[in-house]
């Protein structure tokens, strides 16, 4: 075996070593089912499939514009109105609001 309980026991402690081996044992059992002459081919195929799926996910998840041109124009018009009409009168409007609240 590549990793033994003694070597991991000295590195991470006996309790943690036992937990690691309880987790790894089913995987090692699956790997032992693969014939020795096909191991490299199967691991390469798994790696290749993972790489293809990763590249496919990156390509398909590229960001697209989230707003349509109509929405962009509407937001631009709203911003222009805010900057040109409301912001300059903000202090005056707020003082009027406070006067109304005080009444």
């Amino acid at each position: 075996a590549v990793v033994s309980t003694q070597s991991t026991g000295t590195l991470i402690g006996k309790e943690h070593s036992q937990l690691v081996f309880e987790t790894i044992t089913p995987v090692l059992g699956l790997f032992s089912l693969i014939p020795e002459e096909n191991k490299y081919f199967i691991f390469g195929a798994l790696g290749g499939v993972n790489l293809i799926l990763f590249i496919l996910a990156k390509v398909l998840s590229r960001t697209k514009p989230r707003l349509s041109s109509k929405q962009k124009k509407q937001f631009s018009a709203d911003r222009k109105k805010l900057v040109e009409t409301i912001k300059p009168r903000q202090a005056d409007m707020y003082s009027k609001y406070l006067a109304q609240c005080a009444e």
Side-chain angles (χ1 to χ4, degrees):
V2 176
V3 180
S4 67
T5 54
Q6 290 83 17
S7 62
T8 56
T10 58
L11 291 174
I12 60 174
K14 190 173 184 178
E15 295 173 359
H16 295 300
S17 174
Q18 188 176 8
L19 181 64
V20 166
F21 273 91
E22 287 175 4
T23 307
I24 291 177
T25 303
V27 176
L28 293 176
L30 286 174
F31 287 161
S32 67
L33 295 175
I34 300 171
E36 191 64 40
E37 62 270 4
N38 294 338
K39 278 192 180 186
Y40 293 116
F41 173 75
I42 290 176
F43 289 141
L46 285 173
V49 168
N50 282 331
L51 181 65
I52 289 171
L53 289 175
F54 177 75
I55 292 171
L56 186 66
K58 291 292 277 183
V59 168
L60 293 178
S61 68
R62 293 200 174 165
T63 57
K64 296 180 175 74
R66 290 180 171 85
L67 298 175
S68 67
S69 59
K70 183 178 179 180
Q71 289 173 320
K72 285 181 186 178
K73 287 179 187 176
Q74 180 65 39
F75 283 123
S76 177
D78 290 346
R79 171 180 257 147
K80 186 177 179 182
K81 178 183 175 187
L82 178 73
V83 169
E84 291 178 356
T85 61
I86 296 174
K87 281 288 183 180
R89 299 182 350 200
Q90 182 178 10
D92 182 45
M93 292 169 67
Y94 186 63
S95 63
K96 287 179 184 177
Y97 166 74
L98 289 177
Q100 286 178 352
C101 290
E103 293 177 358

